[in-house]
Amino acid sequence: MGTLESFIAARKKAGLKNGTINRDLAIISRVLVLAARLWRDEFGNSWLIEPPLIQLLKSDNRRPYPLTEQEEERLIQELPGHLREMVMFALHTGLRESELTQLKWCEENRELGIFVLPGDRTKNGEDRIVPLNSTAKAIIEAQRGKHDEYVFTFKGEPVQRINGGAWRKARERAGLAKCRVHDLRHTFGRRLRAANVSFENRQDLLGHKSGRITDHYCKAEVEGLREAVEKLSRVNLA
């Protein structure tokens, strides 16, 4: 564990959670076990007499922190322009950070006012329909023409992540040290429930595995989801 201290410290400094670091430690532990019990050198001896004990870090799971409208306003005011648009879009679509940063124009169905994320980049492996309310549509229109492939960019390049230095500094200035990028998604879900959106529609809008969304989704289904998210469209982007 002494040898791994610098590795663990570097991972923490990079902003990774203990759970993520534990998965790395589990791989290291597995290699050490194999070196002691299975792998052999040219003389038939194990590489290790016994595998050293790798102690996992304590879980840092915490309760979700959905934003109030007042907290949202404070955060938005502190963010630089390109992150402000992405955060607002997340609050109105419930997209995960990776789904947001990798959003592409080829995934847009402009006629229906939706994006369709392919299953190979959603958490549950299913295609995900992302209906746009008025606020989300305005954000998309503001990005149009900036990049041929990716929707959200900064200085001509796709934004790689939201959770960077600018996000963390803005969060501190807004007095929202507890807020993480994933809490934008929690906020979206909480607001859908407060707006009396049905459980089934909330599942579909959050991209939970349900089996209801197929390649043959109809316009009426999409319209129902769009009407649900339109209830959240109350922020004036101007």
Side-chain angles (χ1 to χ4, degrees):
M1 288 303 294
T3 305
L4 290 170
E5 282 182 0
S6 59
F7 168 76
I8 293 171
R11 300 291 272 170
K12 286 187 174 183
K13 187 176 180 180
L16 299 179
K17 297 180 182 179
N18 284 359
T20 301
I21 300 173
N22 280 340
R23 286 193 286 273
D24 295 334
L25 296 178
I27 294 172
I28 296 170
S29 180
R30 175 63 176 163
V31 170
L32 294 172
V33 168
L34 290 172
R37 299 179 181 174
L38 181 63
W39 296 340
R40 295 290 184 267
D41 62 15
E42 64 271 28
F43 303 107
N45 299 316
S46 63
W47 288 98
L48 296 173
I49 296 174
E50 63 179 28
L53 176 65
I54 301 298
Q55 186 175 1
L56 299 182
L57 305 179
K58 291 183 179 179
S59 173
D60 55 359
N61 289 340
R62 62 174 187 88
R63 295 173 63 88
Y65 190 88
L67 296 172
T68 65
E69 291 184 36
Q70 293 74 23
E71 289 172 332
E72 175 190 330
E73 290 177 3
R74 295 207 310 269
L75 178 61
I76 292 298
Q77 289 175 359
E78 298 294 342
L79 288 168
H82 69 289
L83 288 185
R84 184 182 304 127
E85 293 170 333
M86 296 180 76
V87 167
M88 287 291 296
F89 196 78
L91 288 168
H92 286 266
T93 61
L95 288 185
R96 297 177 175 87
E97 182 177 18
S98 62
E99 295 171 338
L100 187 60
T101 57
Q102 298 174 34
L103 194 65
K104 298 179 180 180
W105 292 113
C106 64
E107 297 168 343
E108 181 186 26
N109 184 321
R110 197 169 181 179
E111 180 181 355
L112 293 180
I114 63 176
F115 278 78
V116 181
L117 308 188
D120 60 2
R121 72 179 196 86
T122 62
K123 187 173 182 179
N124 63 22
E126 292 183 348
D127 289 359
R128 178 178 176 185
I129 293 177
V130 183
L132 307 181
N133 61 19
S134 300
T135 301
K137 281 183 178 179
I139 294 170
I140 289 299
E141 290 305 318
Q143 312 314 308
R144 207 175 292 282
K146 292 183 178 180
H147 196 276
D148 291 338
E149 184 176 6
Y150 290 93
V151 174
F152 292 105
T153 60
F154 179 60
K155 294 183 177 180
E157 297 295 331
V159 178
Q160 298 297 318
R161 61 186 302 193
I162 298 174
N163 186 23
W167 159 268
R168 290 191 288 270
K169 290 177 182 177
R171 183 183 63 179
E172 292 292 334
R173 290 194 299 267
L176 295 169
K178 293 181 180 180
C179 180
R180 300 181 183 178
V181 174
H182 199 68
D183 286 315
L184 304 175
R185 179 173 163 81
H186 290 309
T187 302
F188 175 73
R190 180 71 62 87
R191 291 178 179 177
L192 289 176
R193 186 171 66 180
N196 294 319
V197 175
S198 71
F199 174 75
E200 290 78 10
N201 279 348
R202 294 203 309 270
Q203 276 193 312
D204 292 340
L205 290 169
L206 285 163
H208 292 164
K209 197 173 185 70
S210 67
R212 283 186 297 273
I213 301 299
T214 70
D215 293 336
H216 307 291
Y217 52 85
C218 67
K219 190 172 182 179
E221 291 173 327
V222 171
E223 183 62 22
L225 294 176
R226 194 200 62 77
E227 289 177 358
V229 292
E230 188 61 38
K231 295 179 180 180
L232 308 185
S233 187
R234 58 180 179 278
V235 179
N236 184 357
L237 291 179

